[in-house]
Amino acid sequence: MVSTTSTVPVTRHRELSTAAALLLTIGGNIVVVTIAAIGVAGVAAAAVAVFGPQLMELL
């Protein structure tokens, strides 16, 4: 047994379960897709705001 002279308490290393890691992965992917969809919708709304009158004239 190895003894130490450190005064810093050593915490136990905790690992995520497989199910928790899977849920975090799925949740992260949903967040990324949601942010991307909001970005695309924002760009589309800006394009309509800027070019809308010109597009209506062409139709």
Side-chain angles (χ1 to χ4, degrees):
M1 180 175 198
V2 177
S3 63
T4 179
T5 58
S6 174
T7 59
V8 177
V10 178
T11 59
R12 200 175 97 194
H13 181 67
R14 298 179 187 159
E15 293 184 11
L16 286 175
S17 67
T18 304
L22 183 63
L23 287 174
L24 283 172
T25 302
I26 293 170
N29 287 337
I30 290 171
V31 168
V32 168
V33 169
T34 302
I35 291 171
I38 291 170
V40 168
V43 169
V48 168
V50 172
F51 300 112
Q54 296 169 350
L55 291 175
M56 290 301 157
E57 287 178 7
L58 290 175
L59 295 176

